[in-house]
Short mmCIF file of all heavy atoms in Angstrom, two decimals:
data_model
loop_
_atom_site.label_atom_id
_atom_site.label_comp_id
_atom_site.label_asym_id
_atom_site.label_seq_id
_atom_site.Cartn_x
_atom_site.Cartn_y
_atom_site.Cartn_z
N PRO J 1171 -33.39 17.63 49.34
CA PRO J 1171 -32.70 17.08 50.51
C PRO J 1171 -32.47 15.57 50.33
O PRO J 1171 -33.28 14.87 49.73
CB PRO J 1171 -33.63 17.34 51.68
CG PRO J 1171 -34.73 18.18 51.16
CD PRO J 1171 -34.68 18.19 49.68
N SER J 1172 -31.37 15.11 50.90
CA SER J 1172 -31.06 13.69 50.79
C SER J 1172 -32.04 12.88 51.65
O SER J 1172 -32.58 13.40 52.64
CB SER J 1172 -29.63 13.43 51.27
OG SER J 1172 -29.53 13.60 52.66
N PRO J 1173 -32.25 11.61 51.29
CA PRO J 1173 -33.11 10.77 52.13
C PRO J 1173 -32.58 10.65 53.58
O PRO J 1173 -33.38 10.59 54.52
CB PRO J 1173 -33.07 9.41 51.43
CG PRO J 1173 -32.74 9.73 50.02
CD PRO J 1173 -31.85 10.93 50.06
N ALA J 1174 -31.27 10.69 53.75
CA ALA J 1174 -30.70 10.61 55.10
C ALA J 1174 -31.05 11.86 55.90
O ALA J 1174 -31.42 11.77 57.08
CB ALA J 1174 -29.19 10.42 55.02
N ASP J 1175 -30.96 13.04 55.29
CA ASP J 1175 -31.32 14.26 55.99
C ASP J 1175 -32.81 14.29 56.32
O ASP J 1175 -33.21 14.73 57.38
CB ASP J 1175 -30.94 15.49 55.17
CG ASP J 1175 -29.47 15.87 55.32
OD1 ASP J 1175 -28.79 15.28 56.18
OD2 ASP J 1175 -29.01 16.74 54.56
N LEU J 1176 -33.63 13.80 55.40
CA LEU J 1176 -35.06 13.74 55.67
C LEU J 1176 -35.36 12.80 56.84
O LEU J 1176 -36.27 13.07 57.65
CB LEU J 1176 -35.82 13.29 54.41
CG LEU J 1176 -35.84 14.29 53.26
CD1 LEU J 1176 -36.51 13.67 52.04
CD2 LEU J 1176 -36.52 15.57 53.68
N GLN J 1177 -34.59 11.73 56.96
CA GLN J 1177 -34.78 10.81 58.09
C GLN J 1177 -34.40 11.50 59.40
O GLN J 1177 -35.08 11.34 60.41
CB GLN J 1177 -33.97 9.54 57.90
CG GLN J 1177 -34.18 8.54 59.00
CD GLN J 1177 -33.42 7.25 58.78
OE1 GLN J 1177 -32.88 7.00 57.70
NE2 GLN J 1177 -33.34 6.44 59.81
N VAL J 1178 -33.32 12.29 59.39
CA VAL J 1178 -32.92 13.04 60.58
C VAL J 1178 -34.03 14.02 60.97
O VAL J 1178 -34.40 14.12 62.14
CB VAL J 1178 -31.58 13.78 60.35
CG1 VAL J 1178 -31.28 14.72 61.50
CG2 VAL J 1178 -30.44 12.79 60.16
N VAL J 1179 -34.58 14.73 59.98
CA VAL J 1179 -35.67 15.69 60.25
C VAL J 1179 -36.86 14.96 60.86
O VAL J 1179 -37.47 15.45 61.82
CB VAL J 1179 -36.05 16.42 58.95
CG1 VAL J 1179 -37.34 17.22 59.12
CG2 VAL J 1179 -34.92 17.33 58.49
N ARG J 1180 -37.22 13.78 60.32
CA ARG J 1180 -38.35 13.01 60.86
C ARG J 1180 -38.10 12.54 62.27
O ARG J 1180 -38.98 12.62 63.14
CB ARG J 1180 -38.66 11.81 59.95
CG ARG J 1180 -39.44 12.15 58.71
CD ARG J 1180 -39.94 10.90 58.00
NE ARG J 1180 -38.87 9.98 57.66
CZ ARG J 1180 -38.20 10.00 56.50
NH1 ARG J 1180 -38.51 10.88 55.57
NH2 ARG J 1180 -37.25 9.12 56.26
N GLU J 1181 -36.88 12.03 62.54
CA GLU J 1181 -36.57 11.54 63.89
C GLU J 1181 -36.64 12.67 64.91
O GLU J 1181 -37.13 12.48 66.03
CB GLU J 1181 -35.19 10.89 63.91
CG GLU J 1181 -35.17 9.52 63.25
CD GLU J 1181 -33.83 8.83 63.39
OE1 GLU J 1181 -33.13 9.04 64.41
OE2 GLU J 1181 -33.48 8.06 62.49
N LEU J 1182 -36.16 13.85 64.52
CA LEU J 1182 -36.22 14.98 65.45
C LEU J 1182 -37.65 15.47 65.62
O LEU J 1182 -38.04 15.90 66.71
CB LEU J 1182 -35.30 16.10 64.96
CG LEU J 1182 -33.81 15.79 65.03
CD1 LEU J 1182 -33.00 16.92 64.42
CD2 LEU J 1182 -33.36 15.51 66.45
N ALA J 1183 -38.46 15.40 64.56
CA ALA J 1183 -39.86 15.82 64.66
C ALA J 1183 -40.62 14.93 65.65
O ALA J 1183 -41.51 15.40 66.37
CB ALA J 1183 -40.52 15.77 63.29
N LEU J 1184 -40.27 13.64 65.70
CA LEU J 1184 -40.90 12.74 66.67
C LEU J 1184 -40.59 13.16 68.10
O LEU J 1184 -41.37 12.86 69.02
CB LEU J 1184 -40.44 11.29 66.43
CG LEU J 1184 -40.94 10.64 65.14
CD1 LEU J 1184 -40.29 9.27 64.96
CD2 LEU J 1184 -42.44 10.51 65.16
N ARG J 1185 -39.48 13.83 68.31
CA ARG J 1185 -39.11 14.34 69.63
C ARG J 1185 -39.67 15.73 69.90
O ARG J 1185 -39.44 16.29 70.98
CB ARG J 1185 -37.59 14.42 69.75
CG ARG J 1185 -36.87 13.14 69.60
CD ARG J 1185 -35.41 13.40 69.77
NE ARG J 1185 -34.60 12.27 69.39
CZ ARG J 1185 -33.30 12.22 69.53
NH1 ARG J 1185 -32.65 13.24 70.01
NH2 ARG J 1185 -32.63 11.15 69.16
N GLY J 1186 -40.32 16.31 68.90
CA GLY J 1186 -40.85 17.66 69.06
C GLY J 1186 -39.85 18.74 68.72
O GLY J 1186 -40.04 19.90 69.08
N VAL J 1187 -38.76 18.38 68.05
CA VAL J 1187 -37.73 19.34 67.67
C VAL J 1187 -37.90 19.64 66.18
O VAL J 1187 -37.89 18.74 65.35
CB VAL J 1187 -36.32 18.76 67.92
CG1 VAL J 1187 -35.25 19.73 67.48
CG2 VAL J 1187 -36.16 18.39 69.39
N VAL J 1188 -38.08 20.92 65.86
CA VAL J 1188 -38.30 21.32 64.48
C VAL J 1188 -36.97 21.75 63.86
O VAL J 1188 -36.32 22.69 64.33
CB VAL J 1188 -39.31 22.48 64.38
CG1 VAL J 1188 -39.49 22.92 62.95
CG2 VAL J 1188 -40.63 22.06 65.00
N VAL J 1189 -36.55 21.02 62.83
CA VAL J 1189 -35.31 21.29 62.09
C VAL J 1189 -35.61 21.10 60.63
O VAL J 1189 -36.35 20.20 60.25
CB VAL J 1189 -34.19 20.32 62.55
CG1 VAL J 1189 -32.95 20.50 61.70
CG2 VAL J 1189 -33.85 20.52 64.01
N THR J 1190 -35.01 21.94 59.79
CA THR J 1190 -35.19 21.79 58.35
C THR J 1190 -33.93 21.22 57.72
O THR J 1190 -32.85 21.27 58.32
CB THR J 1190 -35.50 23.14 57.69
OG1 THR J 1190 -34.36 24.00 57.83
CG2 THR J 1190 -36.73 23.79 58.30
N ALA J 1191 -34.08 20.70 56.52
CA ALA J 1191 -32.93 20.15 55.80
C ALA J 1191 -31.92 21.25 55.50
O ALA J 1191 -30.71 21.01 55.52
CB ALA J 1191 -33.40 19.46 54.52
N SER J 1192 -32.38 22.45 55.24
CA SER J 1192 -31.44 23.55 54.97
C SER J 1192 -30.65 23.93 56.22
O SER J 1192 -29.49 24.32 56.13
CB SER J 1192 -32.17 24.77 54.39
OG SER J 1192 -33.10 25.26 55.29
N GLN J 1193 -31.25 23.79 57.39
CA GLN J 1193 -30.50 24.03 58.64
C GLN J 1193 -29.40 22.99 58.78
O GLN J 1193 -28.27 23.31 59.14
CB GLN J 1193 -31.42 23.97 59.85
CG GLN J 1193 -32.26 25.20 60.05
CD GLN J 1193 -33.19 25.04 61.23
OE1 GLN J 1193 -33.91 24.03 61.33
NE2 GLN J 1193 -33.19 26.00 62.13
N LEU J 1194 -29.74 21.73 58.52
CA LEU J 1194 -28.72 20.67 58.59
C LEU J 1194 -27.57 20.97 57.65
O LEU J 1194 -26.40 20.83 58.01
CB LEU J 1194 -29.35 19.31 58.25
CG LEU J 1194 -30.43 18.79 59.20
CD1 LEU J 1194 -31.01 17.49 58.66
CD2 LEU J 1194 -29.92 18.62 60.60
N GLU J 1195 -27.91 21.40 56.44
CA GLU J 1195 -26.89 21.74 55.45
C GLU J 1195 -26.02 22.90 55.92
O GLU J 1195 -24.80 22.86 55.80
CB GLU J 1195 -27.58 22.11 54.14
CG GLU J 1195 -26.68 22.51 53.01
CD GLU J 1195 -27.47 22.94 51.80
OE1 GLU J 1195 -28.56 22.38 51.54
OE2 GLU J 1195 -27.00 23.85 51.10
N SER J 1196 -26.63 23.90 56.50
CA SER J 1196 -25.90 25.06 57.00
C SER J 1196 -24.95 24.68 58.14
O SER J 1196 -23.80 25.10 58.19
CB SER J 1196 -26.89 26.12 57.48
OG SER J 1196 -26.24 27.17 58.13
N TRP J 1197 -25.44 23.86 59.08
CA TRP J 1197 -24.62 23.41 60.20
C TRP J 1197 -23.48 22.54 59.71
O TRP J 1197 -22.37 22.59 60.23
CB TRP J 1197 -25.46 22.65 61.20
CG TRP J 1197 -26.52 23.47 61.87
CD1 TRP J 1197 -26.54 24.84 61.99
CD2 TRP J 1197 -27.70 23.01 62.49
NE1 TRP J 1197 -27.68 25.24 62.65
CE2 TRP J 1197 -28.40 24.14 62.98
CE3 TRP J 1197 -28.25 21.75 62.69
CZ2 TRP J 1197 -29.60 24.04 63.66
CZ3 TRP J 1197 -29.46 21.65 63.37
CH2 TRP J 1197 -30.13 22.78 63.84
N ARG J 1198 -23.72 21.74 58.68
CA ARG J 1198 -22.68 20.89 58.11
C ARG J 1198 -21.59 21.74 57.47
O ARG J 1198 -20.40 21.49 57.64
CB ARG J 1198 -23.30 19.92 57.11
CG ARG J 1198 -22.49 18.69 56.90
CD ARG J 1198 -23.25 17.64 56.09
NE ARG J 1198 -24.24 16.97 56.92
CZ ARG J 1198 -25.53 16.90 56.65
NH1 ARG J 1198 -26.03 17.43 55.57
NH2 ARG J 1198 -26.35 16.26 57.46
N ARG J 1199 -22.01 22.79 56.71
CA ARG J 1199 -21.03 23.68 56.08
C ARG J 1199 -20.20 24.42 57.11
O ARG J 1199 -19.05 24.72 56.88
CB ARG J 1199 -21.74 24.68 55.18
CG ARG J 1199 -21.88 24.20 53.76
CD ARG J 1199 -22.43 25.27 52.84
NE ARG J 1199 -23.88 25.22 52.95
CZ ARG J 1199 -24.67 26.26 53.20
NH1 ARG J 1199 -24.19 27.45 53.30
NH2 ARG J 1199 -25.97 26.10 53.30
N ALA J 1200 -20.79 24.75 58.26
CA ALA J 1200 -20.07 25.45 59.33
C ALA J 1200 -19.17 24.52 60.13
O ALA J 1200 -18.46 24.97 61.02
CB ALA J 1200 -21.07 26.13 60.26
N GLY J 1201 -19.21 23.23 59.84
CA GLY J 1201 -18.37 22.26 60.54
C GLY J 1201 -18.92 21.82 61.88
O GLY J 1201 -18.20 21.26 62.70
N LEU J 1202 -20.21 22.05 62.11
CA LEU J 1202 -20.82 21.69 63.39
C LEU J 1202 -21.50 20.34 63.37
O LEU J 1202 -21.73 19.75 64.43
CB LEU J 1202 -21.85 22.77 63.78
CG LEU J 1202 -21.30 24.17 63.98
CD1 LEU J 1202 -22.43 25.15 64.25
CD2 LEU J 1202 -20.29 24.20 65.11
N LEU J 1203 -21.86 19.86 62.20
CA LEU J 1203 -22.60 18.61 62.09
C LEU J 1203 -21.80 17.65 61.22
O LEU J 1203 -21.38 18.02 60.11
CB LEU J 1203 -23.96 18.89 61.45
CG LEU J 1203 -25.00 17.78 61.49
CD1 LEU J 1203 -25.40 17.46 62.92
CD2 LEU J 1203 -26.24 18.19 60.70
N PRO J 1204 -21.57 16.41 61.69
CA PRO J 1204 -20.81 15.46 60.87
C PRO J 1204 -21.59 15.03 59.64
O PRO J 1204 -22.82 15.05 59.61
CB PRO J 1204 -20.56 14.28 61.81
CG PRO J 1204 -21.55 14.42 62.91
CD PRO J 1204 -21.96 15.85 62.99
N ARG J 1205 -20.86 14.65 58.62
CA ARG J 1205 -21.47 14.13 57.39
C ARG J 1205 -21.93 12.70 57.63
O ARG J 1205 -21.40 12.00 58.48
CB ARG J 1205 -20.48 14.18 56.25
CG ARG J 1205 -20.03 15.60 55.94
CD ARG J 1205 -19.49 15.70 54.54
NE ARG J 1205 -19.14 17.08 54.24
CZ ARG J 1205 -20.00 18.02 53.87
NH1 ARG J 1205 -21.27 17.74 53.74
NH2 ARG J 1205 -19.60 19.25 53.61
N HIS J 1206 -22.90 12.28 56.84
CA HIS J 1206 -23.37 10.90 56.92
C HIS J 1206 -22.30 9.97 56.33
O HIS J 1206 -21.62 10.32 55.36
CB HIS J 1206 -24.67 10.72 56.11
CG HIS J 1206 -25.80 11.55 56.61
ND1 HIS J 1206 -26.43 11.31 57.80
CD2 HIS J 1206 -26.41 12.64 56.07
CE1 HIS J 1206 -27.39 12.21 57.98
NE2 HIS J 1206 -27.39 13.02 56.95
N GLN J 1207 -22.18 8.79 56.93
CA GLN J 1207 -21.26 7.78 56.39
C GLN J 1207 -21.89 7.15 55.16
O GLN J 1207 -22.98 6.60 55.25
CB GLN J 1207 -20.96 6.70 57.44
CG GLN J 1207 -20.20 7.24 58.64
CD GLN J 1207 -18.82 7.72 58.27
OE1 GLN J 1207 -18.12 7.08 57.49
NE2 GLN J 1207 -18.43 8.84 58.82
N ARG J 1208 -21.21 7.25 54.03
CA ARG J 1208 -21.75 6.76 52.77
C ARG J 1208 -21.03 5.47 52.36
O ARG J 1208 -19.88 5.27 52.70
CB ARG J 1208 -21.60 7.82 51.69
CG ARG J 1208 -22.29 9.13 52.09
CD ARG J 1208 -22.27 10.14 50.99
NE ARG J 1208 -23.15 9.81 49.90
CZ ARG J 1208 -24.46 9.98 49.89
NH1 ARG J 1208 -25.05 10.47 50.95
NH2 ARG J 1208 -25.20 9.68 48.84
N ARG J 1209 -21.73 4.67 51.59
CA ARG J 1209 -21.17 3.44 51.05
C ARG J 1209 -21.29 3.50 49.54
O ARG J 1209 -22.37 3.78 48.99
CB ARG J 1209 -21.95 2.22 51.58
CG ARG J 1209 -21.49 0.90 51.00
CD ARG J 1209 -22.32 -0.25 51.54
NE ARG J 1209 -23.75 -0.12 51.30
CZ ARG J 1209 -24.37 -0.48 50.17
NH1 ARG J 1209 -23.69 -0.99 49.17
NH2 ARG J 1209 -25.68 -0.34 50.06
N GLY J 1210 -20.19 3.28 48.85
CA GLY J 1210 -20.19 3.32 47.40
C GLY J 1210 -20.90 2.12 46.81
O GLY J 1210 -20.83 1.01 47.33
N LEU J 1211 -21.61 2.36 45.70
CA LEU J 1211 -22.33 1.29 45.01
C LEU J 1211 -21.44 0.63 43.95
O LEU J 1211 -21.82 -0.39 43.39
CB LEU J 1211 -23.61 1.83 44.37
CG LEU J 1211 -24.64 2.38 45.36
CD1 LEU J 1211 -25.78 3.03 44.61
CD2 LEU J 1211 -25.14 1.27 46.26
N GLY J 1212 -20.32 1.22 43.66
CA GLY J 1212 -19.35 0.62 42.74
C GLY J 1212 -19.54 1.04 41.30
O GLY J 1212 -20.64 1.31 40.86
N ARG J 1213 -18.43 1.12 40.63
CA ARG J 1213 -18.37 1.37 39.18
C ARG J 1213 -19.24 2.52 38.70
O ARG J 1213 -20.05 2.38 37.78
CB ARG J 1213 -18.68 0.11 38.42
CG ARG J 1213 -17.70 -1.03 38.77
CD ARG J 1213 -17.83 -2.18 37.85
NE ARG J 1213 -17.63 -1.81 36.47
CZ ARG J 1213 -16.54 -2.05 35.75
NH1 ARG J 1213 -15.53 -2.66 36.31
NH2 ARG J 1213 -16.49 -1.71 34.49
N GLY J 1214 -19.09 3.67 39.35
CA GLY J 1214 -19.79 4.86 38.90
C GLY J 1214 -21.28 4.91 39.17
O GLY J 1214 -21.99 5.72 38.58
N ARG J 1215 -21.76 4.06 40.06
CA ARG J 1215 -23.21 4.03 40.35
C ARG J 1215 -23.59 4.89 41.55
O ARG J 1215 -24.72 4.82 42.00
CB ARG J 1215 -23.68 2.60 40.55
CG ARG J 1215 -23.55 1.76 39.26
CD ARG J 1215 -24.17 0.43 39.37
NE ARG J 1215 -23.84 -0.20 40.66
CZ ARG J 1215 -24.30 -1.37 41.06
NH1 ARG J 1215 -25.12 -2.05 40.28
NH2 ARG J 1215 -23.94 -1.88 42.20
N GLY J 1216 -22.65 5.67 42.06
CA GLY J 1216 -22.97 6.57 43.17
C GLY J 1216 -22.74 5.95 44.53
O GLY J 1216 -22.00 4.98 44.67
#
């Protein structure tokens, strides 16, 4: 899981909501959850 998805899982766990990274991935594939805004590191560095 990406560090961003792990952070979402942790934030929800603090609220008492249990969610897994695979659930986030599934909801994202179904078009229900927006993708994280990414910033390029430049020149092929991801």
Side-chain angles (χ1 to χ4, degrees):
S1172 70
D1175 278 351
L1176 291 175
Q1177 183 178 348
V1178 171
V1179 169
R1180 281 191 304 270
E1181 286 185 31
L1182 292 175
L1184 291 174
R1185 300 181 191 184
V1187 178
V1188 178
V1189 174
T1190 65
S1192 62
Q1193 283 177 309
L1194 297 176
E1195 179 184 326
S1196 172
W1197 296 338
R1198 203 170 283 124
R1199 269 187 275 129
L1202 299 175
L1203 192 64
R1205 298 201 177 279
H1206 299 290
Q1207 294 295 319
R1208 303 185 72 78
R1209 176 181 57 84
L1211 297 173
R1213 301 192 57 104
R1215 294 188 316 176

